[in-house]
């Protein structure tokens, strides 16, 4: 599609699309010999993501960082966006109802709780921290760019084999010597190959192994059903020692 057609379809101005191209946020799929921008379905999918983030009032600079993150998970981002938009919708509905109540009864209603946006802000902060660029992510980028695709595939297999070993230990107590040694092995592997895995980060990973359905599913696939929960509980003991 030509840029004018994309603008007509999406409601995004031609000037805005040109700006997105200029700052590296959304490049056209290709250019014609005459220099006209052309966009395919993949580019339009990216544009949809940009517009969703814009609805959530993300600056273009932040959106660019998020979309360029090699670990960006579109499905997870959509789930978080849906939650954020739902929270915004619920807040707006409360405000509308409150305004109608004032219109009907009069301006003597004293209820400031409807203006409370703490829940929305807290979830927004949590989502941004997951999408944002941390020191650990920068470290991961530095290590990752030095590796070949084959090396990354080997690392992934080695990493998942750690959870296979956790699965074999499921009959033991999470605080046992062998299980805790396996947690230490996991922490050291992450630090050596991905990023510095502090106790705080390890604790967060332990929580994510249960809260992130995709992670839970992959870990249980490697070590058998219940492995993700077992690892999560073992990490909790390890990080409290």
């Amino acid at each position: 599609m030509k840029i004018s057609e994309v603008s007509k379809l999406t409601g995004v101005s031609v000037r805005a699309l040109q700006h997105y191209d200029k700052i590296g946020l959304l490049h056209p799929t290709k250019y014609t010999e005459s220099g006209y921008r052309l966009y395919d379905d993949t580019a339009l999918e990216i544009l949809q993501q940009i517009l969703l983030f814009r609805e959530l009032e993300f600056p273009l600079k932040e959106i660019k960082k998020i979309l360029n993150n090699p670990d960006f998970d579109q499905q997870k981002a959509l789930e978080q966006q849906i939650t954020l938009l739902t929270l915004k919708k619920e807040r707006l509905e409360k405000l509308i109802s409150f305004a109608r109540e004032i219109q009907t009864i009069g301006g003597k209603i004293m209820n400031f709780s409807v203006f409370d946006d703490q829940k929305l802000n807290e979830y927004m902060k949590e989502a941004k921290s997951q999408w944002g660029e941390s020191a650990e992510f920068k470290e991961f980028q530095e290590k990752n760019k030095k590796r070949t695709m084959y090396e990354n595939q080997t690392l992934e297999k080695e990493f998942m084999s750690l959870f296979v070993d956790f699965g074999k230990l499921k009959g033991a107590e999470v605080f046992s010597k062998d299980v805790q040694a396996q947690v230490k092995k996991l922490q050291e592997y992450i630090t050596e190959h991905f990023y510095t895995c502090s106790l705080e980060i390890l604790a967060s990973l332990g929580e994510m192994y249960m809260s992130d359905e995709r992670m839970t599913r992959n870990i249980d696939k490697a070590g058998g059903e219940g492995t993700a929960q077992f690892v999560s509980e073992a990490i909790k003991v390890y990080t409290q020692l």
Side-chain angles (χ1 to χ4, degrees):
M1 296 176 70
K2 295 179 181 178
I3 192 169
S4 58
E5 294 173 322
V6 173
S7 177
K8 186 177 180 180
L9 174 68
T10 65
V12 180
S13 69
V14 170
R15 186 174 179 181
L17 291 168
Q18 290 171 337
H19 180 62
Y20 291 173
D21 182 15
K22 184 178 179 181
I23 64 175
L25 177 61
L26 176 66
H27 292 303
T29 307
K30 64 179 181 180
Y31 295 87
T32 66
E33 292 182 0
S34 304
Y36 291 106
R37 296 172 172 85
L38 296 176
Y39 298 81
D40 63 5
D41 288 345
T42 300
L44 292 179
E45 287 178 10
I46 296 171
L47 180 57
Q48 283 183 331
Q49 274 294 329
I50 293 168
L51 295 178
L52 279 170
F53 280 119
R54 290 296 286 160
E55 284 293 327
L56 295 168
E57 300 174 9
F58 275 65
L60 293 178
K61 188 176 180 180
E62 282 191 36
I63 298 173
K64 182 181 175 182
K65 282 184 180 180
I66 292 166
L67 296 181
N68 287 340
N69 185 338
D71 289 334
F72 176 67
D73 186 331
Q74 185 177 1
Q75 286 304 312
K76 185 175 180 179
L78 279 170
E79 289 171 8
Q80 291 173 320
Q81 288 166 342
I82 290 167
T83 300
L84 283 166
L85 289 167
T86 301
L87 288 171
K88 287 187 74 173
K89 173 177 171 284
E90 289 173 353
R91 183 168 183 267
L92 284 172
E93 286 175 344
K94 287 179 182 178
L95 287 169
I96 291 168
S97 295
F98 180 60
R100 283 176 175 163
E101 192 175 358
I102 292 175
Q103 185 182 45
T104 303
I105 300 174
K108 296 181 180 180
I109 302 171
M110 295 299 171
N111 178 13
F112 292 94
S113 63
V114 293
F115 300 101
D116 184 11
D117 59 355
Q118 184 178 353
K119 186 177 179 181
L120 175 61
N121 289 337
E122 284 179 355
Y123 192 90
M124 178 76 81
K125 184 178 179 181
E126 181 185 343
K128 282 187 175 183
S129 69
Q130 292 181 28
W131 292 325
E133 188 172 330
S134 63
E136 289 76 26
F137 173 65
K138 290 179 181 178
E139 183 181 355
F140 170 79
Q141 279 187 313
E142 286 299 314
K143 289 182 177 181
N144 192 57
K145 70 182 182 182
K146 297 173 184 176
R147 292 192 288 254
T148 64
M149 183 182 294
Y150 174 77
E151 288 172 333
N152 277 324
Q153 290 173 345
T154 302
L155 275 180
E156 185 178 349
K157 289 179 182 178
E158 289 178 353
F159 184 63
M160 294 312 296
S161 72
L162 294 172
F163 297 106
V164 174
D165 293 338
F166 269 114
K168 295 174 182 177
L169 292 168
K170 275 187 295 184
E173 298 289 349
V174 292
F175 49 79
S176 69
K177 183 179 177 180
D178 288 344
V179 174
Q180 290 300 297
Q182 185 66 15
V183 175
K184 184 180 180 182
K185 188 176 178 181
L186 174 67
Q187 181 188 27
E188 290 174 346
Y189 190 89
I190 293 170
T191 296
E192 181 181 357
H193 298 289
F194 303 121
Y195 49 79
T196 303
C197 186
S198 65
L199 287 178
E200 184 180 359
I201 290 174
L202 184 62
S204 296
L205 286 172
E207 292 174 1
M208 287 177 66
Y209 291 161
M210 284 304 298
S211 62
D212 188 311
E213 291 183 6
R214 182 174 56 88
M215 285 188 174
T216 304
R217 186 167 56 250
N218 288 339
I219 291 171
D220 282 356
K221 184 178 179 181
E225 188 176 351
T227 302
Q229 183 175 349
F230 181 74
V231 176
S232 180
E233 291 173 357
I235 289 174
K236 189 177 292 185
V237 171
Y238 184 89
T239 55
Q240 290 174 351
L241 294 178

